Amino acid sequence: LFVLSVVAVFYAAFKDFFLQPAAQFELAIKSDADGKYKKAEKYYILASKSETGEIKRLSFYYLGLLYKKKDASLLKNYQKSEQYLKKSADLGLKQAQYELALLYHAGDKIPENIQKALLYMKMAVDQGFAPAEYVWAVWLERGLMGRIEGKKTLSYYEKAAQKGYLPAMKGLALIYKFGSSDVLPDAEKANYWYEKVSK
C-alpha cells in the first residue's frame, strides 16, 4: 500500500513529463486559447523538448508569439520572443521567419536590425509564404533594398495576390490604378483586382 501511494504521488508530481509531446502541445494550444498563459508556457516548453521536428519548431514558434502577446503582460518578454522565434525560424518554419523579420524590422522592443529582417523575410518569401511576399513587395516599394524597381515589386504583389492574400490584392489594384516607377496604369487590371477584393 505504501509503495502504491508513493507511486501515485510521484505520478501526480511528474505526470506532465509522461505525456507525449503531441499531447503536451495540444494542452499548450488549449491553455493559450483560454488565456492561461503560464500553463501554456509550461506545456510549450515541455513539448519543445520533443525530438519530433514539427512539434519542436511549432512549440518554439508559439512560445515566441506568447512572449509578445498584448494581453500576456506577466509573460511579455521581447528578448525571449526573439530567442524562440529564431529557434523556430532556423528550423525552417516560414511563419516564424516572417514574425522574426517583422520583429527585427520594427526595432521596437529589441534593437532594429534591417539585415536580419531582410534575411529572415527572404527565407519566408523563398518558401512562398504570401504575407512575406506582400511585405517584401512593400519593402521593395519603399526602397529598403536600394533602388525602387516597380516591376520587381509588382511580381511579389502578384505572387501573394494569386494566393488570395487580401492586402496584396489591394496593393495590386492601387498600383494598376495609379501606376508606379516603371509600371504604367492599367484600368482593366485595376478593375480586375478591385472586383476580387470586393468579393
Side-chain angles (χ1 to χ4, degrees), residues 60-96:
F60 287 150
Y61 170 63
Y62 282 107
L63 267 170
L65 295 183
L66 181 65
Y67 288 126
K68 66 184 187 109
K69 273 195 176 180
K70 286 180 183 173
D71 56 342
S73 56
L74 291 174
L75 288 175
K76 193 172 278 190
N77 185 321
Y78 283 85
Q79 285 70 36
K80 281 189 177 180
S81 179
E82 176 196 7
Q83 174 191 340
Y84 283 106
L85 285 173
K86 186 175 186 316
K87 285 183 177 189
S88 181
D90 290 344
L91 288 171
L93 191 72
K94 60 191 177 186
Q95 295 92 330

Side-chain angles (χ1 to χ4, degrees), residues 141 172-186:
E141 194 172 30
L172 265 184
L174 287 169
I175 287 174
Y176 282 125
K177 182 175 182 178
F178 299 107
S180 69
S181 59
D182 56 354
V183 177
L184 294 173
D186 186 321

Side-chain angles (χ1 to χ4, degrees), residues 67-137:
Y67 288 126
K68 66 184 187 109
K69 273 195 176 180
K70 286 180 183 173
D71 56 342
S73 56
L74 291 174
L75 288 175
K76 193 172 278 190
N77 185 321
Y78 283 85
Q79 285 70 36
K80 281 189 177 180
S81 179
E82 176 196 7
Q83 174 191 340
Y84 283 106
L85 285 173
K86 186 175 186 316
K87 285 183 177 189
S88 181
D90 290 344
L91 288 171
L93 191 72
K94 60 191 177 186
Q95 295 92 330
Q97 293 163 347
Y98 169 77
E99 291 290 342
L100 185 60
L102 293 180
L103 204 59
Y104 284 131
H105 181 259
D108 182 16
K109 308 296 181 184
I110 64 165
E112 181 185 60
N113 190 321
I114 297 301
Q115 290 311 113
K116 284 185 179 179
L118 292 172
L119 173 72
Y120 282 102
M121 192 63 76
K122 188 63 166 67
M123 287 180 185
V125 165
D126 289 344
Q127 292 200 66
F129 189 47
E133 290 169 334
Y134 167 71
V135 170
W136 195 255

Side-chain angles (χ1 to χ4, degrees), residues 126-182:
D126 289 344
Q127 292 200 66
F129 189 47
E133 290 169 334
Y134 167 71
V135 170
W136 195 255
V138 171
W139 287 358
L140 278 167
E141 194 172 30
R142 292 180 182 167
L144 200 64
M145 294 83 144
R147 190 167 65 89
I148 297 170
E149 298 175 61
K151 286 182 181 172
K152 195 172 181 183
T153 299
L154 192 69
S155 72
Y156 285 103
Y157 274 119
E158 283 177 341
K159 284 177 184 181
Q162 294 295 346
K163 293 174 182 136
Y165 192 62
L166 195 61
M169 293 160 75
K170 289 178 180 176
L172 265 184
L174 287 169
I175 287 174
Y176 282 125
K177 182 175 182 178
F178 299 107
S180 69
S181 59
D182 56 354

Side-chain angles (χ1 to χ4, degrees), residues 173 176 186-196:
Y176 282 125
D186 186 321
E188 188 179 336
K189 286 182 178 177
N191 289 335
Y192 171 81
W193 287 109
Y194 276 126
E195 283 175 20
K196 285 273 191 185

